[in-house]
Amino acid sequence: MSLWNRRTLAFPLAAAAAALTMTAPGAEAAGTATGTATGTAAPPVPVTWSACEGKGLDPRQECATVSVPLDYRAPDGPRLDLAVSRIRSEHPDRRRGALLLIPGGPGGSSWKDPSAKLAKLPRSVRDTYDIVGFDPRGVGRSAPISCGLSHEDVALTAIRAWPGPGGDISRNAASARRTADACLRDGGPVLRGVSTVNEARDIDSVRRALGEEKLSAWGVSYGTYVGSVYATMFPDRTDRVVLDSNDDPNPALVERGWLANAAVGAEDRFPDFAKWATARERGADRLARTPAEIRPLFLRLAARLDRHPLPWPGANPAELNGNVLRQTLYDALYDDGRFAALAQLIRAAADPGHRALPAPAGPSDATMQNSAAMAVATLCNDVSWPKSVPAYAEAVAANRTRYPLTAGQPAGITPCAFWPTAPVDKPIHVTPRGPSNILLIQNLRDPATPYSGALKLRHAFGDRARMVAVDAGGHGSYLAHGNACGDALVTAYLATGQRPERDVTCPS
């Protein structure tokens, strides 16, 4: 899932229009409007690789573009260019094929990831594959989209629709309506063509342009849903597929279900922070004597900040209120490395007369414009959402009672409540049909994609998949948190095809 937490680069909207071309069909041919593969695709246009432009990249990373239709139902119509990158296998004689890195988000990018992940990937994997990254349509260098939102509406607490004190959603509804109107008015044709089904079609266009009969993939967070949709639409074009931090594929809900699952994920993960915050070795960052004290301490502080926010110049909004604290907690639950900063903020907020708030940190408005537009486009184009504002208010009231840490936000109203058009494609129903070549890896205490949701994806795939459950907290599993058991099992599968015969649980 990772909605609105995975940041992307932002580019002017004019660049999106410039990226659309009216070339003859060549490299498209990923699927029809119903999501099935076409049988009469034109030969792919060969990819022309050149040096990449950008800072911090491995000199071996090469870059190219792949032309795809803006609308796969009109392959002779406007097209856009997807930015693709790769680092080739270090031993061509051992090369099996291409490993595509499918990013999270929606709105994430893997364009830099061949460089960023190269040092982490074991030699056996680097030898086996060309490591390939890309910017999905609408992101970064692939016809980026923007809705031109106001400074206030790109605040993360506004985009995530945190209710007002007591659960009031009137400001959320007004912001959601403004955002929907702005995206529909200013987002352009690329925004209207953003969807998970189209990303799966784009991936198959990339596969063909690379000249690969089959494609291996490593999808993370939202990328697990993209990978699942691809493996369902194009099962015979998949080789070895690893899905890491897995989304519930319920086709009736899709992203609606993922947002709701955030409340479950926060509850699953919070005890890890409570234990960390009360360990004796924390020293000045120790918040209480026992883990049982941390929850009421946090809830009291958030409620106090609801009533009496603290000025926080430079932040968006320019105050530390209860919802900003709750969002900061949720972000920190992604990784133990963020716990210290959260504890310091809690201590400063609890004693503002003696401790200064830390300097605010966060993405720029320009970055948030692209992230927000991609999230809204994907959520609203993938599945239909309820329209009744009073129904959202009732859902928020019930959710905040059941899950106080997230205060009703996961049930909140989104711009999709005001989206006037129905999805062009029906959500894909993931099934066991296809080769048994999928390996899921999942932390037991993931705040964004909880284990309970991952089990539903495991069930949907049936015998196509095996699952490695890791006794760990945080978001992201393979090569992310140092679990030797889980890392070894995924590496073995990618490098050799050896997959566990049955589901496995790795100890902490």
Side-chain angles (χ1 to χ4, degrees), residues 50-375:
S50 61
C52 296
E53 296 182 4
K55 296 181 180 179
L57 300 177
D58 189 291
R60 291 168 290 181
Q61 180 169 314
E62 302 173 294
C63 289
T65 59
V66 173
S67 176
V68 300
L70 180 63
D71 183 348
Y72 279 89
R73 297 167 302 168
D76 294 326
R79 305 177 69 83
L80 58 86
D81 288 339
L82 299 180
V84 181
S85 64
R86 75 172 180 187
I87 293 180
R88 288 183 285 185
S89 165
E90 298 179 21
H91 282 278
D93 57 319
R94 304 177 193 173
R95 180 187 181 279
R96 179 179 180 85
L99 176 67
L100 182 70
L101 309 177
I102 307 177
S109 165
S110 65
W111 185 84
K112 289 186 175 181
D113 283 358
S115 292
K117 295 185 182 296
L118 197 67
K120 287 187 174 183
L121 283 168
R123 181 63 177 268
S124 58
V125 176
R126 303 198 308 266
D127 287 351
T128 304
Y129 302 99
D130 295 343
I131 309 301
V132 179
F134 74 113
D135 278 345
R137 64 167 63 198
V139 174
R141 297 157 184 81
S142 298
I145 59 174
S146 170
C147 299
L149 302 178
S150 68
H151 175 70
E152 293 74 18
D153 284 341
V154 296
L156 195 52
T157 50
I159 295 173
R160 293 297 298 264
W162 286 93
D168 177 59
I169 70 164
S170 56
R171 291 186 64 181
N172 304 132
S175 176
R177 185 184 293 275
R178 287 195 303 272
T179 298
D181 289 346
C183 289
L184 291 165
R185 181 183 65 244
D186 300 330
V190 177
L191 183 144
R192 292 188 287 275
V194 167
S195 71
T196 301
V197 169
N198 273 343
E199 185 168 340
R201 293 170 175 147
D202 287 345
I203 286 173
D204 205 59
S205 292
V206 170
R207 175 196 63 79
R208 297 183 67 250
L210 293 174
E212 301 291 340
E213 181 179 348
K214 295 185 177 183
L215 191 66
S216 292
W218 172 19
V220 180
S221 192
Y222 167 67
T224 66
Y225 181 61
V226 176
S228 299
V229 169
Y230 181 77
T232 302
M233 291 174 63
F234 307 102
D236 294 333
R237 301 176 189 177
T238 58
D239 189 14
R240 297 170 184 168
V241 178
V242 171
L243 303 179
D244 178 347
S245 306
N246 298 275
D247 281 313
D248 181 347
N250 185 338
L253 297 176
V254 193
E255 289 91 348
R256 286 171 54 201
W258 307 345
L259 290 176
N261 283 348
V264 177
E267 294 289 343
D268 289 348
R269 174 66 162 145
F270 186 80
D272 289 342
F273 172 67
K275 183 178 179 180
W276 179 96
T278 53
R280 291 184 180 277
E281 59 267 27
R282 296 286 82 83
D285 289 332
R286 192 181 188 204
L287 298 180
R289 293 176 299 173
T290 67
E293 297 173 85
I294 298 299
R295 177 184 290 266
L297 180 155
F298 178 83
L299 294 175
R300 286 194 303 268
L301 178 59
R304 191 178 87 187
L305 291 171
D306 282 338
R307 299 187 301 270
H308 306 291
L310 299 174
W312 205 6
N316 186 13
E319 65 179 27
L320 176 58
N321 57 41
N323 284 335
V324 171
L325 183 69
R326 295 180 184 103
Q327 181 65 52
T328 305
L329 166 69
Y330 186 71
D331 290 344
L333 296 179
Y334 274 52
D335 191 284
D336 289 8
R338 304 181 188 181
F339 285 176
L342 172 63
Q344 291 161 14
L345 181 64
I346 290 173
R347 289 180 64 84
D351 190 12
H354 297 88
R355 295 176 183 270
L357 295 179
S364 67
D365 279 14
T367 299
M368 287 302 296
Q369 291 287 357
N370 189 230
S371 296
M374 280 298 300

Side-chain angles (χ1 to χ4, degrees), residues 1-2 6 100-105 117 120-121 217-228 241-248 334 438-444 446 448-450 454 457 461 466-470 472-483 486-487 490-491 494:
M1 193 260 294
S2 191
R6 183 72 181 264
L100 182 70
L101 309 177
I102 307 177
K117 295 185 182 296
K120 287 187 174 183
L121 283 168
W218 172 19
V220 180
S221 192
Y222 167 67
T224 66
Y225 181 61
V226 176
S228 299
V241 178
V242 171
L243 303 179
D244 178 347
S245 306
N246 298 275
D247 281 313
D248 181 347
Y334 274 52
I438 297 168
L439 182 64
L440 314 181
I441 183 165
Q442 177 71 36
N443 291 341
L444 294 180
D446 187 318
T449 55
L457 181 61
F461 272 127
R466 303 288 184 270
M467 175 180 275
V468 176
V470 178
H475 189 52
S477 189
Y478 180 49
L479 306 179
H481 298 286
N483 185 276
D487 290 351
V490 173
T491 295
L494 288 175

